[in-house]
Amino acid sequence: MSLQVDNLTVYYQTLRGDVQALEGATFSIADGEIMGLAGESGCGKSTLANSLIRLVPPMRLVRGQVRLDGEVLPIDDARRMSDYRFSRVSVIPQYAMNALNPTRKVGKMMAELLGSKGVDFAATIPELKRRLDLVELSHDVLKMYPIELSGGMKQRVVMVLSTLLNPSLLIADEITSALDVSTQKAVAEMLVGFRDRGFVKSLIVITHDISILYQIADTILIMYAGQLAEKAPTDVIIRAPRHPYTKLLIASLPEVGVRYAERRLSGIPGRPPLLLDPPAGCRFRERCSVAFEKCLEAPPFVELEPGHFVACWKELGEDVDG
Amino acid sequence: MSKRKVRSETLYFALRNNKLRVGLSVILFFLVLTFVGPLLTHYAPYDYVNPLGAQPPSAKYWFGTTMFGQDVFTQFVHGLKATFLVGVVGGGLGTLIGILIGFTAGYRGGVVDEVLNMITNIVLVIPTLAILLIIAAYLKVRGILTESIFIGCTAWPWAARAIRAQTFSLRSREFVDLARLSGMSPWRIIFTEIAPNMMSYLLLVFILQFGGAILNAATLDFIGLGPTNAVSLGLMMNNAVLWGALLLGIWWWFVPPGLAIMAIVGALYVTNVGLDEVFNPKLREM
Amino acid sequence: MRRYLGRKLLIYVLTFFLAVTIDWLIPRFMPGDPVQTMLSRASLHAEAVEVMHGYYTRAFGLDVPVWRQYLNFWVAIFHGDLGTSVYLFPQPVIKIIMRAVPYDVFLLLPAILLSWFAGNWFGAFAARNKWLDNTLLPLGYILTATPYMWLGILLAWLFGVVLGIFPIAGAYSFSMRPHLSWAFIGSVVKHWFLPFASIFLVKFGGWAIGMRNMIIYELEADYSHYLEALGAPRGLIRKYAFRNAILPQITGLSLDLGVIVAGALVTEVVFSYPGIGYLILQAIQNQDYFLIQGCFLFIIIGVLLANFAIDIAYVIVDPRTRLGMVGESA
Ligand SMILES: Nc1ncnc2c1ncn2[C@@H]1O[C@H](COP(=O)(O)OP(=O)(O)OP(=O)(O)O)[C@@H](O)[C@H]1O
Ligand code: SF4
Ligand SMILES: [Mg+2]
């Protein structure tokens, strides 16, 4: 297991109270696994991803633990966590287009960043150049300012930089949403290539585009209103989902490839609960057609079949015997 | 999020922002003093009320008297009125011209923008005060309103620049495109689509112009080019220095007017930053 | 870069052109016979009035067409001929101004540069430091909102009158003649200090506040968050934020020159410091239009030169202008 997340609960502190954006997340990612993370806008995908690398105020760790390669990550201790960032956990941010300091040449910025982390930049250059070749970037980008690069080029620079130290876990948060379709595919394939070459051990890919996940993800984790709903191999999620929310989500896609966020799940009445004061129990309850009394308690995330986790009392067979 | 919710959220943070609270309280205090002050005194600003000349603050003359025996408190509260008037009229006019030029340049783009931008930059480089000095020197009789108008007419360039930049970034948004496709006239688009989205920004610009106008007026008044028929805080300092209040140690003559300007303008700046934090969630302190 | 500076230069040339035109209009704005008004203001000897009247009538060239007068004005400027002062008759305006200029440079250059560096440094230091942010930055707001003349008056009163540490009038002791000696230099520095301190303090507050607000924006910018996510040390993140925040501060410096000119003027008035600001007030009070013209011209030239120097600094600091990627940023 490369990543193990246990009962991770993270709130946003606001003046009006806590926004309970991530509640009791428990899951793991195997070595070499590419896990897709999907769910409606605002369901807590970025919160989960950020918790693993940059948990800063107003985010607050309420409880839970994260282990990477067996080692506990000090996710709520910014100082200690910075030793793990980049080298062990890394990220390709959503805003990759603006992620580079505008007043430094790309190469110089990399040198200063690596230098500050005690890595010998000069020794890294040959590998860096190999990777630039891999993403089809000229070595000249190192001598350029970000403003001289196109959006796609900046994104590839960020991809190369983020993975330069071969992290165990790489998080890619909506890195394709701003790109056109053909570039999306290329970027997605690069991510797979990075995994295959061992630049990164495992990956969390967040996207609004299930077709991308279908193309590259080994498993998919579905979230709803801050809670995990279901995790299973990609094929299973698409063809045989078991959680009522996943079923509706997949059914609402006329074909794989529709961006679900842009269509407010028309078939499902109601909208997700506000996370400032969410209902107890299963948060999908109010929109779930098969809900029953038991659903007033939060369902556990249980492995029903090997590799297939579901958080739903119905699927646990509770309605029959309880 | 619905518009309604955004508004109540803004209000919520506004009420809890310390900078905003302090800034607005100070401004409110002086505003009240401006209106109530004249009722508390039964003198006119230039009446010679104290035959003994300059005397320090006392129960009778709260802020003391000038070398000529004029009541400093009376001059002070009347001066406050002039200060606020200059701020509102001068700052308002500066903002208005800035809005007109900034919107036009930013929205029309192209040659119109090039020309307006060039003019703005030229006016920006010429030191405002030099122009004001010359204008003021020619006018034999000057009122506070005239002064405010001149100040407003020379203060707009940076407002125009700032608003132009904001308009540029809004111009390419979808809702503006939609309005354009639906055949709305440019000025309607500007006032129905662009301006409402910049309201908070325009407010910030106005506040800074307000403060700038007050300081500009104080400068003009201090070198004797202020109003010839009224009292103002800058004029009080001018008279104090002119009649040797410094050497004679009549501190109560020159301390209150400067202190009030400093407090009002400082409160405006603090309000500005407080509002910025309210409108811009990223700057909020948790 | 060439494009960027070229554009700037064009603006400056146009500005200069416009300013000189305004300058030329100054005496011509006056109601009535300008020469007579002017001369009656200055209490001169009868024969001096004769001479002056003849001189100014010729100088204004009221006998030649207006366009000719305008051209002559330009020619005269390039010959350094700004006319003769009425108030300080018969000294040429250019000579009077050249005598004042060194004081302005001596007062303003250190005040502007030191306040800019110190203010930016301090603002960057205070940003996101709760304690400093809450204690010392309010002081910044107070300073930047203080009218120059009032701070000058307060300092003069406190350190000059009450404590008697510093002199409060002139550029050096009235009992001295300018010469090279330690005593004289000491006197010059002593007279310089309070006016310098008034300008420095007000501007210091402004730059500190500006930098503090800028750097908070930058620390919340995407590139800062990315560096943080990659575990960059705080020092590096702040260094980058500072480098980016300093750009608008450079632009701010050029936008602020007009305000600084105004500040210098009233400060010089408070301390009777014999720079151009003090001179222009004398000229206005004595309706010495040739002197006003000259002062205005020199202020414009000074502001334009300063602007150009700032532009060059900007080009050096911001790579984007060097690449010609940004048409205009200042
Ligand atoms: N800084 C914040 N302060 C308070 N609440 C926040 C903050 N950031 C996010 N939230 C709330 O936390 C919840 C989860 O947000 P998150 O950004 O993780 O969603 P997401 O699944 O990534 O959505 P998207 O698909 O739109 O990126 C949302 O309800 C959001 O309103
Ligand atoms: S736990 Fe209950 S409410 Fe939640 S999805 Fe299952 S059946 Fe529906
Ligand atoms: Mg997100």
Side-chain angles (χ1 to χ4, degrees):
Chain A
M1 284 298 141
S2 137
L3 181 78
Q4 252 177 311
V5 175
D6 265 311
N7 200 21
L8 186 62
T9 301
V10 173
Y11 295 166
Y12 288 94
Q13 275 179 301
T14 72
L15 291 173
R16 296 179 171 199
D18 287 341
V19 176
Q20 306 178 10
L22 185 65
E23 191 71 61
T26 302
F27 67 95
S28 56
I29 301 179
D31 286 356
E33 176 177 336
I34 296 183
M35 184 187 87
L37 181 53
E40 275 169 293
S41 184
C43 71
K45 303 182 295 291
S46 299
T47 308
L48 172 55
N50 289 335
S51 306
L52 301 179
I53 185 158
R54 189 171 163 270
L55 201 158
V56 292
M59 286 167 104
R60 179 168 66 89
L61 176 67
V62 178
R63 65 186 90 87
Q65 199 184 51
V66 176
R67 286 160 178 278
L68 186 65
D69 300 327
E71 204 178 334
V72 176
L73 287 182
I75 52 173
D76 62 337
D77 181 341
R79 196 169 292 262
R80 286 206 299 139
M81 189 62 197
S82 75
D83 293 339
Y84 293 87
R85 292 175 182 156
F86 198 10
S87 54
R88 305 287 300 280
V89 195
S90 192
V91 65
I92 302 174
Q94 188 169 357
Y95 48 79
M97 310 290 168
N98 304 318
L100 300 169
N101 179 7
T103 51
R104 271 281 190 272
K105 286 182 178 158
V106 170
K108 179 141 194 235
M109 182 269 209
M110 289 181 176
E112 286 180 337
L113 174 62
L114 289 168
S116 77
K117 301 217 60 160
V119 179
D120 181 0
F121 180 66
T124 326
I125 288 180
E127 180 61 21
L128 173 61
K129 290 191 169 162
R130 260 197 299 285
R131 295 191 182 184
L132 286 177
D133 291 337
L134 208 63
V135 297
E136 290 160 18
L137 278 177
S138 139
H139 298 173
D140 289 342
V141 294
L142 296 177
K143 291 192 225 92
M144 293 186 186
Y145 287 99
I147 194 170
E148 297 173 85
L149 309 178
S150 72
M153 288 164 87
K154 274 186 265 194
Q155 175 140 40
R156 279 175 282 159
V157 167
V158 169
M159 286 172 70
V160 167
L161 174 60
S162 286
T163 54
L164 198 56
L165 299 183
N166 297 346
S168 290
L169 175 68
L170 178 70
I171 299 161
D173 190 349
E174 291 194 44
I175 59 171
T176 56
S177 45
L179 305 172
D180 60 79
V181 180
S182 63
T183 325
Q184 279 178 8
K185 297 254 185 278
V187 166
E189 263 148 31
M190 279 174 204
L191 287 179
V192 179
F194 279 18
R195 191 264 318 260
D196 294 345
R197 286 185 162 77
F199 297 171
V200 298
K201 219 194 268 176
S202 47
L203 262 149
I204 297 180
V205 179
I206 300 176
T207 172
H208 274 183
D209 190 342
I210 291 218
S211 74
I212 295 262
L213 294 185
Y214 191 60
Q215 182 192 348
I216 64 167
D218 302 315
T219 59
I220 294 181
L221 174 61
I222 303 287
M223 286 183 72
Y224 181 82
Q227 290 175 332
L228 305 191
E230 183 165 12
K231 184 188 176 203
T234 304
D235 255 5
V236 178
I237 287 281
I238 303 283
R239 299 196 204 295
R242 294 187 62 172
H243 192 282
Y245 173 65
T246 318
K247 285 181 191 164
L248 283 164
L249 187 67
I250 300 296
S252 73
L253 308 171
E255 62 195 282
V256 166
V258 170
R259 294 174 167 227
Y260 55 85
E262 282 152 23
R263 316 170 70 237
R264 176 152 292 291
L265 294 176
S266 48
I268 318 178
R271 30 172 68 239
L274 292 176
L275 300 185
L276 197 55
D277 186 19
C282 176
R283 291 183 184 174
F284 188 56
R285 205 173 62 229
E286 275 158 36
R287 294 167 84 183
C288 180
S289 55
V290 293
F292 58 108
E293 315 87 75
K294 187 74 185 166
C295 305
L296 287 167
E297 282 170 49
F301 200 50
V302 175
E303 188 165 19
L304 294 182
E305 282 162 44
H308 193 165
F309 297 79
V310 181
C312 174
W313 291 120
K314 198 93 187 173
E315 291 299 314
L316 284 172
E318 285 289 331
D319 57 332
V320 186
D321 26 32
Chain B
M1 229 186 270
S2 68
K3 214 154 196 143
R4 178 97 178 250
K5 184 142 170 250
V6 171
R7 192 154 301 158
S8 72
E9 182 122 316
T10 305
L11 193 67
Y12 181 86
F13 280 105
L15 293 175
R16 271 159 194 76
N17 188 296
N18 276 331
K19 295 198 179 77
L20 205 53
R21 282 196 224 174
V22 171
L24 287 179
S25 309
V26 172
I27 295 168
L28 200 67
F29 170 78
F30 280 102
L31 212 53
V32 168
L33 195 59
T34 305
F35 287 104
V36 176
L39 307 175
L40 300 178
T41 154
H42 26 267
Y43 313 123
Y46 289 120
D47 279 356
Y48 304 109
V49 295
N50 184 358
L52 297 174
Q55 292 223 300
S58 63
K60 184 140 186 257
Y61 309 109
W62 295 350
F63 284 14
T65 48
T66 70
M67 218 163 94
F68 313 105
Q70 297 152 330
D71 185 41
V72 174
F73 180 76
T74 309
Q75 295 195 343
F76 178 74
V77 290
H78 282 90
L80 276 181
K81 195 168 71 194
T83 292
F84 278 111
L85 191 71
V86 166
V88 172
V89 177
L93 192 62
T95 312
L96 200 69
I97 301 177
I99 286 176
L100 286 181
I101 295 194
F103 274 160
T104 314
Y107 185 77
R108 300 293 294 274
V111 184
V112 176
D113 176 43
E114 288 276 328
V115 172
L116 286 178
N117 198 24
M118 190 72 94
I119 294 173
T120 308
N121 279 328
I122 289 175
V123 181
L124 203 58
V125 177
I126 297 181
T128 316
L129 187 78
I131 303 276
L132 286 175
L133 280 181
I134 292 163
I135 297 174
Y138 285 119
L139 295 174
K140 291 283 166 284
V141 182
R142 299 176 297 262
I144 289 171
L145 208 60
T146 336
E147 184 182 29
S148 311
I149 290 172
F150 286 129
I151 288 176
C153 287
T154 49
W156 56 268
W158 74 257
R161 267 177 67 116
I163 292 167
R164 166 183 175 264
Q166 288 283 316
T167 312
F168 251 136
S169 68
L170 278 178
R171 190 172 65 149
S172 48
R173 300 277 181 83
E174 293 124 50
F175 57 86
V176 176
D177 284 338
L178 267 174
R180 209 173 348 216
L181 284 178
S182 71
M184 255 194 219
S185 76
W187 279 107
R188 265 204 67 195
I189 295 180
I190 288 175
F191 283 108
T192 58
E193 304 294 325
I194 295 184
N197 282 291
M198 276 173 62
M199 239 29 209
S200 58
Y201 193 76
L202 297 181
L203 181 63
L204 298 184
V205 169
F206 172 65
I207 291 176
L208 293 179
Q209 286 273 346
F210 196 116
I214 291 177
L215 288 178
N216 262 334
T219 304
L220 274 183
D221 299 357
F222 179 70
I223 49 183
L225 293 173
T228 48
N229 55 8
V231 60
S232 80
L233 298 179
L235 212 50
M236 286 173 74
M237 288 191 274
N238 177 28
N239 281 326
V241 170
L242 213 55
W243 300 104
L246 262 177
L247 290 170
L248 299 172
I250 315 176
W251 53 266
W252 55 90
W253 196 355
F254 56 76
V255 169
L259 195 62
I261 294 179
M262 184 195 82
I264 293 172
V265 176
L268 284 168
Y269 289 169
V270 171
T271 305
N272 184 60
V273 176
L275 278 177
D276 203 12
E277 287 177 3
V278 169
F279 294 138
N280 187 346
K282 273 189 173 179
L283 301 178
R284 282 175 198 155
E285 282 167 35
M286 279 294 157
Chain C
M1 163 162 75
R2 191 161 299 155
R3 217 193 99 176
Y4 175 80
L5 286 182
R7 251 183 106 94
K8 289 292 192 175
L9 213 52
L10 176 65
I11 288 178
Y12 297 148
V13 168
L14 284 175
T15 308
F16 186 67
F17 181 77
L18 183 76
V20 169
T21 307
I22 294 174
D23 205 27
W24 174 76
L25 286 170
I26 289 176
R28 289 166 176 81
F29 259 136
M30 278 190 303
D33 176 4
V35 181
Q36 201 52 56
T37 321
M38 194 159 71
L39 293 182
S40 62
R41 281 274 164 166
S43 36
L44 297 169
H45 295 295
E47 71 253 50
V49 172
E50 268 307 280
V51 177
M52 287 298 289
H53 198 284
Y55 171 78
Y56 278 114
T57 314
R58 248 175 295 116
F60 285 140
L62 298 175
D63 40 340
V64 294
V66 174
W67 65 268
R68 203 58 253 174
Q69 296 176 26
Y70 184 63
L71 277 186
N72 288 344
F73 186 67
W74 274 100
V75 173
I77 283 180
F78 282 109
H79 285 100
D81 173 15
L82 301 176
T84 306
S85 164
V86 184
Y87 156 64
L88 292 172
F89 185 79
Q91 301 186 44
V93 166
I94 183 88
K95 241 176 129 179
I96 300 173
I97 290 178
M98 287 320 259
R99 220 164 41 217
V101 166
Y103 291 111
D104 285 302
V105 176
F106 181 50
L107 181 61
L108 284 178
L109 213 56
I112 293 174
L113 290 181
L114 288 178
S115 66
W116 192 81
F117 281 107
N120 280 318
W121 179 83
F122 181 75
F125 189 66
R128 284 286 142 99
N129 173 331
K130 258 221 153 73
W131 187 79
L132 280 180
D133 211 30
N134 287 333
T135 53
L136 288 173
L137 274 168
L139 188 70
Y141 282 108
I142 292 174
L143 284 177
T144 187
T146 308
Y148 286 94
M149 76 296 273
W150 190 62
L151 187 60
I153 294 171
L154 280 192
L155 291 181
W157 177 60
L158 199 65
F159 293 100
V161 179
V162 178
L163 299 174
I165 307 174
F166 289 102
I168 59 169
Y172 48 85
S173 170
F174 290 121
S175 61
M176 286 185 175
R177 309 217 94 253
H179 64 288
L180 209 62
S181 76
W182 286 119
F184 180 72
I185 292 173
S187 172
V188 166
V189 170
K190 257 189 145 174
H191 282 78
W192 164 87
F193 185 75
L194 286 184
F196 160 80
S198 331
I199 300 177
F200 174 87
L201 285 175
V202 175
K203 288 280 48 134
F204 173 82
W207 296 126
I209 298 289
M211 178 47 105
R212 179 253 177 207
N213 293 343
M214 281 302 162
I215 213 159
I216 283 180
Y217 268 108
E218 295 297 333
L219 286 174
E220 291 299 325
D222 288 336
Y223 69 87
S224 297
H225 285 173
Y226 181 54
L227 283 173
E228 219 175 293
L230 295 189
R234 227 177 138 60
L236 184 69
I237 299 173
R238 288 189 80 105
K239 181 174 137 193
Y240 279 8
F242 184 78
R243 289 248 342 176
N244 288 298
I246 205 81
L247 298 176
Q249 291 291 83
I250 297 178
T251 309
L253 183 57
S254 73
L255 292 182
D256 205 51
L257 285 173
V259 181
I260 296 177
V261 166
L265 192 151
V266 289
T267 308
E268 288 178 7
V269 170
V270 169
F271 292 97
S272 312
Y273 201 77
I276 288 189
Y278 187 59
L279 205 57
I280 205 169
L281 186 73
Q282 306 287 321
I284 284 175
Q285 280 170 352
N286 292 289
Q287 305 233 342
D288 187 343
Y289 292 99
F290 270 52
L291 195 51
I292 298 179
Q293 257 187 348
C295 290
F296 184 72
L297 191 70
F298 265 76
I299 291 177
I300 291 288
I301 292 174
V303 168
L304 289 180
L305 285 179
N307 259 302
F308 202 62
I310 293 170
D311 285 337
I312 289 173
Y314 196 93
V315 168
I316 292 171
V317 183
D318 188 351
R320 288 166 295 184
T321 52
R322 258 173 289 160
L323 297 167
M325 303 297 246
V326 185
E328 194 202 355
S329 34

